[in-house]
Amino acid sequence: MADSLKATPLLDRHRALGGRLVPFAGYEMPVQYSGIVAEHQAVRERAGLFDVSHMGELLLTGEGALEQANRLVTNDLARIADGQAMYTCCCNEQGTILDDLILYRHAPERILVVCNASNRDKIVGHFSSSITGVRFEDQSDETALIALQGPKALQVLGAAELSFDASSLKSFRFQAGTLAGKACTVARTGYTGEDGVEIFCNVANAVAIWDALLEAGKPFEVLPCGLGARDTLRLEARLSLYGNDIDETTNPLEAGLAWTVKFDKAEFVGKAALEAIKAAGLTRKMVGFECTGRGIARHGYPILSKDGERIGEVTSGAPSPTLGKNIGMGYVPAALSEVGSEFVVDSRGRQISAVVVKTPFYKRPPAS
């Protein structure tokens, strides 16, 4: 492994648990431990534990922090209360996506921004050059982030002696407390399509919290999970992956993220461009599809019309462990984006028939 790769505070734990380590976004990260399918099923049926400490944590503090952050994102921070989190896109003036973020509103004077690890430097630069009059700190290197996801996640948290009842937290809410005696903030957010939480803590507390969750999770058969399961889980839930499904060549409207764009907000970077795109009408849209022919549609494979014309590209694709089908996402002409539309995927010269389906591919059952 290259010496230049960064390490999260849990790297030694990943090695001790037999995690297969790979370079990812500048970090040495586990792609799997016991196997992608086993880890995927653990999250769908019980719970899984992820190290996501590679994500970036950026903090705006001071009077005007909310307004400064709100100007740089498409969603509207004014619509949520203190203690709530919000998913949003962050666009450039052309209306294409610099990153997708989750913003945590501690107070109007304290906004935490969580960005993708691969975009951390870009977003730090974008925010630094765009905000005035508030303090902006990159706290990524001092912050660990651990995700516990799955239907048994809240029970595991209780067994690990979380200082409050996590079931009192509604979706996209967060609360400070202690876990295994260590200070942390627990947010009922995630990236798997399951119930669960993400736990922020100082890097000094990461190992203790990780160990406590794994120990408390033994009766529930909780597994440590890697990037591989994280990818198949988020694909089933139709959650976009930056660098695959969205990037600076795509805009939120065509990516199926129009719900994150609040045109009635006074102003935000990219608003004029997105208004023009909306007025002109979308020429292409992101769709979810199932392969009806044999084969797996991988990222980057061309999407062809029935006549063999290249009309798009697969952005994500994999076998779905939950559904037992090969599924994918990709951009196609708007006229071919309706459910039931058919096309083919070119898999290195072999054509795979596919059909547009309703997404998300998987939606967790309501709590009993």
Side-chain angles (χ1 to χ4, degrees):
M1 202 68 67
D3 293 336
S4 59
L5 290 176
K6 299 178 184 176
T8 78
L10 296 167
L11 181 59
D12 287 345
R13 286 296 187 270
H14 302 322
R15 287 178 171 146
L17 290 165
R20 185 160 74 83
L21 301 169
V22 298
F24 182 79
Y27 284 80
E28 192 173 3
M29 297 292 292
V31 67
Q32 64 178 38
Y33 301 84
S34 50
I36 292 174
V37 173
E39 294 163 25
H40 181 112
Q41 291 173 333
V43 174
R44 288 280 180 255
E45 297 168 5
R46 305 180 307 275
L49 194 62
F50 300 82
D51 176 15
V52 284
S53 300
H54 59 302
M55 302 289 282
E57 288 85 14
L58 318 173
L59 184 65
L60 285 78
T61 52
E63 187 175 353
L66 184 149
E67 291 77 11
Q68 294 281 333
N70 214 20
R71 190 170 51 80
L72 298 177
V73 299
T74 59
N75 214 329
D76 189 358
L77 268 175
R79 296 188 180 208
I80 62 173
D82 298 349
Q84 286 186 254
M86 186 185 73
Y87 177 81
T88 184
C89 289
C90 176
C91 289
N92 56 27
E93 293 287 1
Q94 292 71 47
T96 60
I97 304 170
L98 292 173
D99 200 4
D100 59 332
L101 311 171
I102 295 183
L103 271 56
Y104 295 80
R105 178 174 161 162
H106 289 260
E109 299 80 24
R110 186 180 180 85
I111 306 295
L112 177 67
V113 178
V114 175
C115 66
N116 284 294
S118 58
N119 289 331
R120 175 179 160 190
D121 290 345
K122 178 173 65 176
I123 294 302
V124 168
H126 180 62
F127 272 66
S128 296
S129 63
S130 304
I131 62 176
T132 57
V134 300
R135 187 173 182 182
F136 178 67
E137 302 168 84
D138 182 354
Q139 297 189 334
S140 308
D141 292 339
E142 296 81 46
T143 306
L145 184 57
I146 297 169
L148 178 65
Q149 297 280 295
K152 302 293 185 185
L154 300 191
Q155 291 175 255
V156 176
L157 279 173
E161 300 184 359
L162 178 65
S163 60
F164 61 90
D165 180 7
S167 65
S168 64
L169 275 181
K170 295 181 180 178
S171 178
F172 272 70
R173 267 71 167 181
F174 60 93
Q175 183 174 333
T178 61
L179 181 58
K182 304 296 183 183
C184 64
T185 296
V186 177
R188 203 159 181 180
T189 51
Y191 189 59
T192 62
E194 288 298 335
D195 193 9
V197 298
E198 294 177 301
I199 303 159
F200 297 85
C201 65
N202 187 283
V203 293
N205 294 333
V207 169
I209 289 176
W210 174 271
D211 288 349
L213 290 170
L214 275 185
E215 182 64 28
K218 284 181 178 177
F220 303 94
E221 300 181 71
V222 171
L223 292 183
C225 301
L227 297 169
R230 184 173 162 85
D231 191 52
T232 53
L233 289 159
R234 69 90 194 166
L235 175 58
E236 288 184 345
R238 203 257 185 243
L239 298 172
S240 295
L241 175 64
Y242 197 92
N244 279 37
D245 309 303
I246 53 176
D247 58 25
E248 289 186 56
T249 70
T250 62
N251 67 68
L253 306 183
E254 64 189 8
L257 298 172
W259 61 275
T260 71
V261 182
K262 299 299 187 284
F263 285 112
D264 58 351
K265 196 168 70 170
E267 193 55 58
F268 60 87
V269 175
K271 181 179 181 181
L274 289 169
E275 286 177 331
I277 292 168
K278 183 180 180 182
L282 297 177
T283 59
R284 65 173 187 168
K285 292 183 180 179
M286 168 78 78
V287 297
F289 63 86
E290 290 180 2
C291 295
T292 53
R294 293 188 62 183
I296 302 170
R298 301 288 189 187
H299 169 72
Y301 283 6
I303 294 176
L304 310 177
S305 69
K306 289 184 176 179
D307 298 330
E309 178 187 2
R310 180 168 181 152
I311 57 172
E313 187 172 289
V314 176
T315 55
S316 291
S320 163
T322 305
L323 304 177
K325 301 176 180 177
N326 293 327
I327 61 174
M329 293 160 57
Y331 289 95
V332 299
L336 281 178
S337 63
E338 295 298 320
V339 171
S341 298
E342 297 179 348
F343 51 75
V344 296
V345 174
D346 183 355
S347 172
R348 299 175 180 174
R350 188 165 61 86
Q351 295 195 342
I352 306 170
S353 300
V355 60
V356 177
V357 297
K358 186 179 179 180
T359 55
F361 302 98
Y362 164 85
K363 191 171 184 178
R364 75 171 185 266
S368 57

